[in-house]
Amino acid sequence: MKPTPRPDPFSLAFEEAHKAAARGEVPVGAVIMREGIILARAGNQVLADKDPTAHAEMLAIRQACAVLGSERLIGCDLYVTLEPCAMCAAAIAHARLRRLYFSASDPKGGGVEHGARIFAQPTCHHVTEIYGGLRESEAAALLRAFFLERR
Amino acid sequence: MKPTPRPDPFSLAFEEAHKAAARGEVPVGAVIMREGIILARAGNQVLADKDPTAHAEMLAIRQACAVLGSERLIGCDLYVTLEPCAMCAAAIAHARLRRLYFSASDPKGGGVEHGARIFAQPTCHHVTEIYGGLRESEAAALLRAFFLERR
């Protein structure tokens, strides 16, 4: 018997990003996984929800908390196709996520490696492990295509 | 005929903070007002909702956006009893709020005058006018009483 393949969170996050683009939203997708199990997946839906906080990461965090019945996502990892903004990075810290994996870097709006550098602040009470640059060129191409089309 | 008194947003925000304390939540309350009309009011409900993003400011922003049917709160002002954290400060910028009025300063967790200093970052694309220290001693006393009781 072949073992069930472990789900690939980044492929699912990219699926969510493509779905967001098809809806006319900035194409960002996020997935939360714990011990090989997908707890949440979401794409950016700021325009659809008319909600400036409806970034992919925020929606995924709220979904995963609902699934686990807890405001803390201990032992959970978040995968997202773009460097989180300061709002999402601070939410990741509030949720006590274990690891953050992201694809494209975001010098203009990022809050992890740029600008607010949330996890480097003394006001950040939980330090999530951070891994950037995964499948970066794929994410950068997706964002570039989206913004070129809208010019 | 006496004119209808303009609602006092800070008194409503403090009401929300007291209600949050009574529920066992960190006592923070927020109100959003536009042209003298209250659009949203909320208290912190992280524990009740099991949602780490359910800070008073986030809930008020989402409520006001639902009321206006827009992801931007142009011409709206937010009143909150504590300096917003980085998550809420970045959400305030995303929502394009006009003014932020807050009471107590938060050196340990704040993201406006402390830590991430969201509005001073080059990655912040909207600068909200900021007024801190309003009814500060009242808010500080409320927070102090709450944390003393839980020790």
Side-chain angles (χ1 to χ4, degrees):
Chain A
M1 209 176 88
K2 281 209 300 188
T4 312
R6 190 179 165 91
D8 170 13
F10 258 119
S11 295
L12 296 177
F14 274 100
E15 259 179 39
E16 292 294 335
H18 280 284
K19 285 196 276 179
R23 292 191 302 263
E25 305 270 4
V26 176
V28 182
V31 160
I32 293 176
M33 192 158 88
R34 190 176 71 176
E35 292 169 10
I37 293 166
I38 303 292
L39 297 177
R41 51 185 291 180
N44 177 25
Q45 50 192 66
V46 166
L47 301 177
D49 291 358
K50 301 185 192 308
D51 177 357
T53 75
H55 288 191
E57 303 93 314
M58 301 295 278
L59 297 171
I61 287 171
R62 298 177 61 209
Q63 258 181 51
C65 288
V67 168
L68 297 180
S70 169
E71 78 282 6
R72 294 192 173 183
L73 299 173
I74 308 294
C76 297
D77 303 326
L78 187 142
Y79 301 78
V80 57
T81 58
L82 183 65
E83 176 186 347
C85 75
M87 173 181 73
C88 294
I92 286 165
H94 288 325
R96 308 287 195 271
L97 277 151
R98 183 177 62 169
R99 291 184 193 132
L100 162 65
Y101 298 91
F102 68 87
S103 304
S105 195
D106 185 4
K108 283 188 189 165
V112 177
E113 294 181 333
H114 300 93
R117 290 179 170 77
I118 292 296
F119 299 100
Q121 300 298 342
T123 44
C124 181
H125 305 303
H126 172 79
V127 178
T128 298
E129 289 173 40
I130 298 165
Y131 304 90
L134 293 102
R135 293 172 65 164
E136 183 158 22
S137 57
E138 187 180 346
L142 176 60
L143 284 156
R144 211 162 35 233
F146 178 80
F147 285 110
L148 265 178
E149 206 173 88
R150 295 171 69 88
R151 241 178 231 162
Chain B
M1 209 172 93
K2 280 210 304 190
T4 312
R6 191 178 164 95
D8 169 16
F10 258 117
S11 295
L12 297 177
F14 274 100
E15 258 180 40
E16 292 295 334
H18 281 283
K19 285 195 274 177
R23 291 191 303 265
E25 306 270 3
V26 175
V28 182
V31 160
I32 293 176
M33 192 158 87
R34 191 177 68 176
E35 293 170 9
I37 294 166
I38 303 291
L39 296 178
R41 51 187 289 179
N44 178 25
Q45 50 191 66
V46 166
L47 301 177
D49 290 359
K50 300 183 192 310
D51 177 356
T53 75
H55 287 193
E57 302 94 312
M58 302 294 278
L59 298 172
I61 287 171
R62 298 176 61 211
Q63 258 183 49
C65 287
V67 167
L68 296 181
S70 168
E71 78 281 6
R72 295 193 174 182
L73 299 174
I74 307 295
C76 298
D77 303 327
L78 188 141
Y79 300 78
V80 57
T81 59
L82 183 66
E83 178 186 347
C85 75
M87 173 182 73
C88 295
I92 286 166
H94 288 325
R96 307 285 196 275
L97 277 151
R98 181 176 64 169
R99 292 186 193 130
L100 162 64
Y101 298 90
F102 68 86
S103 304
S105 198
D106 186 4
K108 284 188 189 164
V112 176
E113 293 180 335
H114 300 93
R117 290 181 170 75
I118 293 296
F119 298 100
Q121 300 299 340
T123 45
C124 181
H125 304 304
H126 171 80
V127 179
T128 297
E129 288 173 43
I130 298 164
Y131 304 89
L134 292 103
R135 293 172 65 163
E136 183 158 21
S137 57
E138 186 180 347
L142 176 62
L143 285 156
R144 211 163 34 234
F146 178 79
F147 285 111
L148 266 177
E149 204 172 272
R150 295 171 70 87
R151 239 177 232 161

